[in-house]
């Protein structure tokens, strides 16, 4: 259970020992990481990998996380050709979430809104909530909600997910 992007229903890795002998070895995934500070003062980390090069239409995935005060913007960018099904998952911690008008409100244990998630994309987006689990420690699982952002389209595709602490103030 991890906050990740799935392409065509597949994870970006092939588990060791599960690759049939007649398929190419895709275990040597190339990855990059870059960190810095934007001119406006936001700190960011940007990573990309080639874990989806095994697809018939290979995909390169980049994820950028920028912190603006107490707000966070996650940008997923998929490069390649052809059409693909894309799913972006965010596993939530304690509390609960409510979906309304394309935005997920995160509530604390008392039911007070403490943050929101709003996805935007260059393709049509569907968003839903489902049940899953998070690991709160080694070998310890807790039930949680999962925000699933799904879309289908031709590449390139960009998905921006804005997490704000105050639903009325974009970046406080």
């Amino acid at each position: 259970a991890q906050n990740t992007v799935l392409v065509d229903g597949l994870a970006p890795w092939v588990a060791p020992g599960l690759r049939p002998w007649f398929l190419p070895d895709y275990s040597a995934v190339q990855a990059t990481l870059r960190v810095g500070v934007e001119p406006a003062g936001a700190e960011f980390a940007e990573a990309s990998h080639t874990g989806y090069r095994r697809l018939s239409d290979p995909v390169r995935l980049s994820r950028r996380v920028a912190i603006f005060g107490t707000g966070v913007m996650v940008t997923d960018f998929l490069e390649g050709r052809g059409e693909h099904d894309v799913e972006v998952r965010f596993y939530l911690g304690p509390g609960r979430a409510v979906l309304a008008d394309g935005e997920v409100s995160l509530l604390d244990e008392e039911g007070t809104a403490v943050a929101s998630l709003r996805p935007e994309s260059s393709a049509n987006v569907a968003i839903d909530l489902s049940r899953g689990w998070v690991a709160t420690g080694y070998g310890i699982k807790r039930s949680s909600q999962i925000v699933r952002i799904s879309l289908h389209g031709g590449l390139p595709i960009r998905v921006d997910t804005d997490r704000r602490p105050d639903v009325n103030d974009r970046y406080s």
Side-chain angles (χ1 to χ4, degrees):
Q2 55 185 293
N3 299 327
T4 191
V5 177
L6 303 178
V7 177
D8 297 337
L10 301 172
W13 62 86
V14 176
L18 297 180
R19 178 184 62 86
W21 63 270
F22 54 86
L23 290 179
D25 183 5
Y26 293 109
S27 61
V29 172
Q30 296 172 345
T32 61
L33 175 64
R34 188 171 68 97
V35 296
V37 179
E38 294 177 342
E43 297 180 46
F44 71 88
E46 183 174 290
S48 65
H49 66 76
T50 59
Y52 289 113
R53 71 179 178 183
R54 70 186 187 273
L55 301 178
S56 59
D57 286 321
V59 175
R60 182 172 186 88
L61 172 66
S62 299
R63 174 168 275 184
R64 185 176 209 278
V65 179
I67 301 171
F68 301 85
T70 56
V72 177
M73 174 68 80
V74 178
T75 300
D76 294 303
F77 188 67
L78 293 90
E79 299 174 271
R81 288 182 279 176
E83 293 200 354
H84 294 275
D85 292 312
V86 176
E87 182 176 298
V88 180
R89 294 182 180 177
F90 292 101
Y91 289 79
L92 306 178
R96 63 187 179 94
V98 178
L99 175 61
D101 300 323
E103 181 168 297
V104 176
S105 294
L106 308 176
L107 312 176
D108 64 14
E109 264 107 30
E110 286 79 42
T112 303
V114 293
S116 66
L117 290 174
R118 174 177 290 280
E120 295 178 12
S121 176
S122 53
N124 289 331
V125 173
I127 184 168
D128 68 29
L129 292 169
S130 61
R131 298 298 307 170
W133 58 270
V134 294
T136 58
Y138 183 76
I140 302 170
K141 292 182 184 179
R142 284 187 57 187
S143 177
S144 75
Q145 287 182 291
I146 305 167
V147 176
R148 296 165 50 137
I149 302 165
S150 304
L151 51 111
H152 176 87
L155 299 185
I157 291 176
R158 176 180 169 152
V159 181
D160 291 317
T161 306
D162 182 9
R163 184 240 180 242
R164 295 173 278 156
D166 178 356
V167 296
N168 298 314
D169 184 5
R170 185 161 174 87
Y171 298 112
S172 53

